[in-house]
């Protein structure tokens, strides 16, 4: 395959709402983002992925789109978008937009017509969505078609009295699912993508891409995820979209899907496939859930970190795609807690664990995605009032926790540890009021620690997390680390991740301790010729047996 630009990319994910506010209304926007392009360029990233910027009632911060062709007033206007794309391109940076194909907002014109039987376009759009008539129990009470549960914690069905039907929404009730059996709907979505391609975007991140097909026999199930996730037919839709839209226009596409077999992985992002170029999967995420917790269950239950799980996932994906496809590597996005609070240590070992996580990820082969604020070690929020949270998911789940027996404090702790809002608080540029993000109170509160953790504090400090990330990205490019071959050492060890990334010219050995205690590692590999090029405590000679300090991390290089 001819080499593609995205194989040399270092992607930076911008959560637009919280990146930089230019007009001081407390909400990040395109002008703010454009004003920070030089910051991003200087950091060493060369591609920017922007979270959804389309017109939206913002029930799910823009993943609920009411007009795909309009820019949300919160973020500016179309001229601001064009200007952003141009200025990124002048700097040799690529632009990736989010593309939401699974659902619209309930305020989209299609849905307004679909739900209203007297709307002039009702017949045209009703079938753009997924409807089912009610069931009735013996007493004649109306029942939902199934007991399926949405990803945000409530039922997937919402009753629409004018048609006496339920519509399906696998996320919030303001996000009705689109019907991919409808050819006109598919044609309209393809036109949306082409319209943005004509404007100059270089790629898309395709939201919720494994949910497009549903089991139309609507079997009973609770939560029933297997009936609306990863059904085989979604590959057909993605392939069709790829063949007709992405490939002929030469734009990059990265999908989003939770888990895959080798066969599926190759369908999604094998070099020979027509669906995507790369895949955001979640194999290494949430590797610390406590299955015995039934009060704040699932991803909400914070348990012991399972380091084996993390390395097995990276290993599995590298092996599945090795030579046949291309890996994306990342720690987290806007749907997860901050990685330093999640897999690192955001108090005593903030700097050490932040560097350890950076070495561990950014020395691996593949195309990396950096999430905004990760480069300065932004941490989880410390909100103590439910009203401080913003995410639609938080409120349904909070009620669930109480109904499962959690106290208010236990529920709040789960939100602080695990909610998506952790990754969404405004960027901490400096120590001024509102952290240099805005001069007005932002749409969600700045993290309590912004006076200590902010970019300005780190710019001149050679040992800061910011400068460590910058150094890593430079090394990545110079050494062509994206292209290397990954081999894990000591696969069975529960505390450390140790691997070699072998490039054409060198071997890099990365040693990382994921714990707050000292651990001894045995290195049963050929150790001669390695030089210590990066460390988070002090430089160390490579030895067959080493005692690592808490979160210690070392990078060694050997020329071939
Ligand atoms: C995945 C997105 O990353 C998430 O933020 C969103 O809520 C869902 N898809 C629904 O669009």
């Amino acid at each position: 395959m001819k080499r593609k630009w995205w194989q040399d990319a270092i992607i930076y994910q911008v959560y637009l709402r919280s990146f930089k506010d230019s007009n001081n209304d407390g909400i990040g926007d395109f002008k703010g983002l454009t004003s920070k392009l030089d910051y991003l360029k200087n950091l060493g990233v060369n591609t920017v992925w922007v979270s959804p910027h389309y017109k939206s009632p913002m029930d799910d911060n823009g993943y609920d789109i009411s007009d795909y062709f309009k820019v949300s007033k919160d973020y500016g206007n179309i001229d601001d978008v064009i200007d952003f794309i141009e200025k990124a391109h002048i700097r040799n940076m690529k632009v990736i937009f989010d593309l939401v194909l699974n659902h619209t907002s309930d305020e989209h014109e299609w849905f307004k017509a679909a739900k209203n039987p007297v709307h002039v376009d009702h017949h045209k759009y009703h079938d753009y969505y997924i409807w089912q008539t009610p069931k009735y129990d013996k007493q004649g009470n109306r029942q939902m078609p199934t007991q399926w549960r949405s990803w945000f914690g409530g039922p997937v069905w919402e009753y629409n009295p004018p048609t006496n039907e339920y519509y399906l929404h696998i996320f919030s009730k303001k996000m009705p699912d689109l019907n991919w059996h409808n050819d006109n709907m598919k044609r309209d979505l393809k036109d949306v993508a082409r319209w943005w391609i004509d404007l100059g975007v270089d790629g898309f991140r395709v939201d919720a891409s494994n949910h497009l097909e549903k089991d139309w026999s609507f079997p009973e199930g609770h939560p029933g995820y297997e009936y609306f996730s990863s059904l085989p037919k979604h590959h057909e839709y993605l392939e069709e979209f790829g063949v007709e839209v992405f490939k002929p226009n030469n734009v990059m596409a990265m999908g989003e899907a939770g888990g895959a077999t080798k066969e599926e992985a190759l369908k999604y992002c094998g070099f020979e496939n027509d669906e995507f170029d790369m895949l955001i999967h979640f194999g290494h995420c949430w590797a610390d859930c406590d299955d015995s917790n039934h009060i704040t269950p699932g991803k909400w239950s914070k348990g012991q970190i399972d380091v084996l799980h993390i390395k097995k996932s990276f290993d599995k994906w590298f092996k599945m795609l090795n030579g046949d496809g291309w890996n994306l590597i990342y720690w987290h996005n806007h749907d997860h807690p901050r990685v330093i609070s999640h897999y690192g240590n955001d108090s005593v070992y903030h700097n050490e664990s932040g560097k350890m996580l950076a070495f561990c990820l950014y020395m691996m082969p593949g195309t990396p995605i950096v999430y905004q604020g990760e480069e300065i070690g932004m941490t989880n929020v410390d909100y103590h009032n439910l009203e401080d949270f913003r995410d639609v998911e938080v409120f349904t789940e909070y009620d669930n926790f109480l109904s499962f027996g959690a106290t208010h404090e236990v529920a709040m702790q789960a939100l602080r540890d695990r909610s998506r809002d952790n990754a969404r608080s405004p960027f901490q540029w400096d120590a001024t009021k509102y952290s240099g993000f805005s001069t007005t109170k932002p749409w969600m509160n700045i993290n309590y620690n912004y006076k200590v953790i902010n970019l300005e504090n780190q710019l001149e400090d050679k040992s800061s997390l910011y400068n460590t990330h910058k150094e890593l990205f430079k090394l990545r490019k110079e050494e062509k680390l994206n292209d290397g071959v990954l081999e894990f050492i000591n696969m069975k060890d529960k505390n450390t991740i140790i691997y070699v990334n072998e490039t054409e010219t060198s071997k890099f050995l990365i040693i990382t301790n994921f714990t707050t205690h000292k651990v001894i590692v045995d290195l049963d590999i050929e150790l001669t010729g390695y030089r210590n090029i990066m460390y988070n405590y002090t430089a160390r000679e490579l030895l067959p047996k080493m005692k690592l300090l808490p979160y210690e991390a070392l990078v060694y290089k050997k020329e071939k």
Side-chain angles (χ1 to χ4, degrees), residues 15 49 60 63-64 98 100 102-103 152 171 175 205 207-208 211 256 282 333-335 391-392 420 424:
Y15 201 67
W49 155 24
D60 188 22
Y63 281 97
D64 48 320
D98 237 291
V100 184
N102 180 67
H103 45 266
F152 291 168
F171 295 98
M175 297 156 79
R205 176 268 193 185
D207 184 65
H211 300 310
E256 189 204 17
F282 304 104
N333 61 29
H334 61 290
D335 293 334
D391 185 9
V392 55
R420 309 192 300 177
R424 299 176 178 186

Side-chain angles (χ1 to χ4, degrees), residues 5 48 100 156 220 446 469:
W5 64 265
V48 185
V100 184
V156 299
E220 192 46 279
I446 308 282
H469 282 84

Side-chain angles (χ1 to χ4, degrees), residues 174-380:
K174 284 187 66 62
M175 297 156 79
D177 278 57
L178 287 162
N179 169 11
W180 275 75
H181 290 198
N182 184 303
D183 288 334
N184 292 338
M185 191 288 293
K186 288 197 285 183
R187 179 207 57 211
D188 286 353
L189 283 183
K190 288 171 196 162
D191 286 347
V192 165
R194 290 192 190 101
W195 194 85
W196 288 99
I197 292 170
D198 288 346
L199 215 74
V201 310
D202 305 290
F204 294 105
R205 176 268 193 185
V206 182
D207 184 65
S209 48
N210 63 326
H211 300 310
L212 305 185
E213 176 64 344
K214 320 290 185 292
D215 186 331
W216 283 74
S217 66
F218 299 104
E220 192 46 279
H222 184 94
Y225 301 143
E226 66 276 30
Y227 302 126
F228 52 86
S229 289
S230 302
L231 290 155
K233 207 170 163 67
H234 79 280
H235 286 291
E236 284 175 35
Y237 305 142
L238 296 176
E239 188 176 22
E240 179 183 322
F241 217 88
V243 169
E244 292 180 32
V245 182
F246 300 143
K247 301 284 158 171
N249 290 293
N250 202 18
V251 289
M252 184 277 273
M254 48 187 197
E256 189 204 17
T261 58
K262 176 166 179 164
E263 194 194 340
E264 275 213 290
L266 291 175
K267 277 191 190 167
Y268 282 127
C269 57
F271 291 139
E272 302 300 322
N273 95 97
D274 285 319
E275 297 185 18
F276 300 128
D277 298 301
M278 297 184 283
L279 186 75
I280 299 172
H281 63 80
F282 304 104
H284 60 283
C285 302
W286 302 112
D288 62 344
C289 295
D290 173 5
D291 293 340
S292 65
N293 181 334
H294 301 296
I295 291 180
T296 57
K299 75 167 187 183
W300 298 94
S301 58
K302 190 175 165 67
Q304 285 293 314
I305 178 171
D306 182 351
V307 177
L308 283 180
H309 177 98
I310 298 174
K311 59 184 161 186
K312 273 189 199 150
S313 169
F314 281 117
D315 185 48
K316 172 178 141 186
W317 277 89
F318 183 78
K319 287 187 176 139
M320 284 200 301
L321 295 180
N322 191 13
D324 297 321
W326 199 255
N327 262 299
L328 265 179
I329 53 165
Y330 73 105
W331 273 134
H332 75 96
N333 61 29
H334 61 290
D335 293 334
H336 305 123
R338 289 274 173 191
V339 67
I340 200 163
S341 307
H342 195 185
Y343 290 169
N345 181 299
D346 61 11
S347 51
V348 185
Y349 297 108
H350 182 263
N351 187 280
E352 291 83 357
S353 72
K355 284 182 189 166
M356 184 281 287
L357 290 164
F359 292 180
C360 182
L361 186 75
Y362 296 115
M363 292 301 297
M364 276 187 206
T367 291
I369 309 179
V370 191
Y371 182 70
Q372 74 177 43
E374 185 188 331
E375 75 274 27
I376 57 167
M378 280 181 63
T379 67
N380 279 358

